[in-house]
Every structure is written in structure tokens, then in C-alpha cells.
Amino acid sequence: NVREAGGDHIVSLSNATHKAINRKSIIEKRLLLALNQQNLKVFYQPQVDIHTGKVLAVEALVRWEDEEIGVVSPDELIPIAEETGLINNIGSFVIEEACQQAANWHKEGLDIKVTINLSVREFRDKNMAKFILSTLDKTNCPANLIQIEFTEKFALQAEAETSIIKQMRKLNDKGIVFILDDFGTGYASFRYMQLLPIEVLKIDQTFIHSLLQSEKTQRLIHGMVQFGKSMNLTVLAEGVETKEQQQLLAEYGCDAIQGYLISKPVPGAAISELIEESMNI
Ligand code: C2E
Ligand code: MG
Ligand code: MG
Ligand code: MG
């Protein structure tokens, strides 16, 4: 039967592959243009204290709407950018935007920490730490206002690459906080807990979305929170969409939440309004 279906399959598969390759090369071309014309944007999503709702930090998330191909989500954009090397350009842009934004808020008297997502490929650039530090200098942004999110995949690779660990320590020594993103979905190796300067554990949203579905998941998440607390880490849950999720997480001892329940990612100006409103209450 494999043989019977074979002919059709091969044709449709190659069509699909063809389309994917086409889309990739279109995205690559348009992205290069967008970078040159500064058409990328950064949106910010608040991370708040689970009890008081006070904004502790905001996560910088890249946004791109191209006039020809429309909105390209980060989930599609980042892997292609990594393959083509354009991730370094996106990274530089996001780092500069984030530092400038944090510095502007700082000047207005609002100390809002800004979190940047960086992939392992970006950290392989031996000048990454230097670039971040010089951007802090250039924008007059205090180092303790910048945080870096990295994934478990990143952590696993960093273990084997001392130059990455050195760069992380250098930044950490200046006051930059590291957040382990998407915790629980990657390659759980506890060695990186020993090696890397992690201060915040961010539980992946896939766990949070299924939190109310089973007792097993509840025990699992409760355990993850307890693990983080026993390691003296701040525990942050991402993808929190309902009050029920927030309540359970608070019972477990989770420190902070991020998700649509609080706010979607929004432009920087909307963050200032959100914070000023919450201060007026
Ligand atoms: P992430 O760092 O885990 O970011 C969380 C993603 O979940 C964001 O998607 C955010 O918009 C979404 N999200 C937040 N709260 C909720 C919620 O309550 N419900 C649901 N369903 N989703 C929620 P986004 O912005 O599309 O980004 C996807 C991924 O792309 C990010 O995952 C991150 O890994 C990557 N990314 C985004 N911006 C950058 C960047 O500037 N540099 C790098 N290297 N990666 C980035
Ligand atoms: Mg993140
Ligand atoms: Mg995440
Ligand atoms: Mg994610």
C-alpha cells in the first residue's frame, strides 16, 4: 500500500516542500529589507507580582508586519532568521530598542526592568556581552534594568561552550539577571542549574494552559514551583489566561505571572499608561 500511494505522495510532498522553500526565501528577502528600513517593532508584555499585580518587568517581543507578506509571527521568523544568520541583526535591533526604552522610562522616574530573549546562536557571537554593555552605555541604561531570557536548549549547549558561560557571567557581574525560559519543555539537565547564573525560573505556558485539566498536571506544576523556590529562584509562570490559574499558582507559591489575564504584548507607550493607571488606584 505504501507503494500504491507512493506516486501521489511524492508529488504533493515536493509541492509542499517547494512552497516552504519559496516562503522562506521570500521572508529572508523581505526581512533584509525590513531591517534596512527599520520596519521591525518591539512590543512589551508585563510580568507582574502574583499577589499585588505590580509590574516587575516587561518582556520585549519582536513584531513584524510586512507590507507585502503581512504579519510574520516570531515562531516563524526566528527559526528562519537563525538559519540565515539574520538573527544577529534582529538581536542587535531588539537589544538597542529595549535598552533605549528602559532608559527612557528610567528618565521619567519609572524603573521598569526589560527582558530580552536571546538564542544560543546569538551568544556564540564572541562580542555579544561587549555589545550589550556598550549599548547600555550608549543609551544611559542602568544594567540592573536589563534581563535576559534563554531557553533550556540554550542552557544545554552553553554547558559545553565555556565562552558562552563566560559571557553570561560577565553580564551577570554587571547586574544583568538571567531567566530560564520555557522551563520544563526542553532538555531537562540539572547540570546547568549548577553552572549558569540563573535567577528566575519561567514555567512554560503549555503547562499552565493544561493546569486545570488534571490533578497530575497540578502536582507537576506544584513540584516545579517548589523546585524553583528550593533553589532560591524567583518563579514566574507564563501564559496565564484565567483567574483560576492565577489562584492555583499563588497557592503553590509562585511569585509572578505573565499572560493574557494581565495584558497581551503592547507598544511601550501603552506600558507607561498601564503603570501610571495602576499607580493612581
Ligand atoms: P517566549 O519567549 O516563550 O514568549 C512567550 C510567547 O507567548 C509570546 O509569543 C507571547 O506573545 C505569547 N504569550 C504570552 N502570554 C500568553 C498567553 O496568555 N496565552 C498565549 N496563548 N500566548 C501568550 P510571541 O511574541 O509570538 O513569541 C514567540 C517566541 O518567539 C518567544 O517565546 C521567543 O522564544 C521568540 N521571540 C520573540 N521575540 C524574540 C526576539 O526578539 N529574539 C529572539 N531570539 N526570540 C524571540
Ligand atoms: Mg521569553
Ligand atoms: Mg517562554
Ligand atoms: Mg515559548
Side-chain angles (χ1 to χ4, degrees):
N1 45 23
V2 171
R3 246 215 230 98
E4 277 167 45
D8 278 356
H9 249 96
I10 287 164
V11 172
S12 64
L13 189 77
S14 76
N15 263 339
T17 311
H18 209 94
K19 266 191 196 155
I21 292 172
N22 242 333
R23 167 117 179 129
K24 222 190 323 190
S25 76
I26 290 170
I27 287 181
E28 192 183 341
K29 277 198 209 100
R30 300 297 305 177
L31 176 59
L32 201 58
L33 199 69
L35 282 162
N36 285 331
Q37 301 181 338
Q38 301 189 295
N39 276 342
L40 297 188
K41 288 197 177 72
V42 176
F43 274 27
Y44 300 89
Q45 188 181 34
Q47 302 172 344
V48 307
D49 183 288
I50 197 167
H51 302 292
T52 64
K54 181 178 182 280
V55 176
L56 304 171
V58 295
E59 179 175 10
L61 294 157
V62 71
R63 290 292 178 264
W64 179 32
E65 179 168 9
D66 184 74
E67 54 183 21
E68 269 181 27
I69 54 177
V71 172
V72 181
S73 76
D75 284 329
E76 185 178 19
L77 173 65
I78 300 295
I80 294 177
E82 290 204 341
E83 256 179 67
T84 57
L86 289 174
I87 189 66
N88 296 312
N89 307 56
I90 294 180
S92 309
F93 166 74
V94 173
I95 290 165
E96 282 172 347
E97 281 290 310
C99 292
Q100 189 61 64
Q101 179 63 81
N104 290 348
W105 280 325
H106 181 64
K107 256 186 271 161
E108 293 170 27
L110 295 172
D111 275 358
I112 308 171
K113 293 193 164 118
V114 178
T115 290
I116 302 163
N117 291 282
L118 288 178
S119 64
V120 72
R121 165 133 199 187
E122 298 176 79
F123 251 93
R124 286 218 174 94
D125 175 354
K126 301 253 183 315
N127 291 316
M128 180 49 89
K130 221 187 274 168
F131 177 75
I132 293 172
L133 294 175
S134 73
T135 306
L136 290 174
D137 244 25
K138 203 175 73 185
T139 56
N140 275 318
C141 177
N144 67 346
L145 292 182
I146 296 298
Q147 311 190 122
I148 293 170
E149 291 192 12
F150 63 100
T151 61
E152 284 187 329
K153 186 174 160 207
F154 177 124
L156 196 74
Q157 301 197 19
E159 262 184 35
E161 300 179 38
T162 46
S163 73
I164 294 181
I165 300 181
K166 264 192 208 142
Q167 294 210 72
M168 291 173 83
R169 296 226 171 103
K170 184 170 170 187
L171 293 168
N172 193 232
D173 285 343
K174 302 277 181 193
I176 291 181
V177 163
F178 282 89
I179 298 177
L180 183 60
D181 201 358
D182 301 351
F183 178 66
T185 58
Y187 312 74
S189 153
F190 287 106
R191 249 176 69 75
Y192 57 64
M193 290 286 170
Q194 285 180 302
L195 282 174
L196 306 180
I198 301 168
E199 281 163 61
V200 182
L201 202 65
K202 187 166 176 182
I203 300 176
D204 189 68
Q205 53 179 296
T206 54
F207 294 108
I208 309 303
H209 293 161
S210 58
L211 175 61
L212 296 159
Q213 283 164 18
S214 79
E215 213 178 294
K216 195 172 179 180
T217 306
Q218 286 163 21
R219 271 194 231 109
L220 177 63
I221 295 175
H222 194 170
M224 289 164 95
V225 175
Q226 284 176 328
F227 166 71
K229 295 317 293 174
S230 75
M231 293 294 292
N232 279 332
L233 305 174
T234 298
V235 179
L236 167 66
E238 79 175 336
V240 176
E241 296 180 354
T242 69
K243 273 261 164 225
E244 289 80 5
Q245 292 167 343
Q246 177 189 15
Q247 265 156 16
L248 265 182
L249 288 162
E251 276 174 36
Y252 299 162
C254 182
D255 301 293
I257 53 172
Q258 175 179 6
Y260 296 167
L261 175 66
I262 308 300
S263 167
K264 293 202 166 179
V266 291
I271 292 286
S272 327
E273 279 169 33
L274 201 116
I275 287 175
E276 274 154 21
E277 270 167 35
S278 73
M279 286 194 310
N280 288 334
I281 293 170

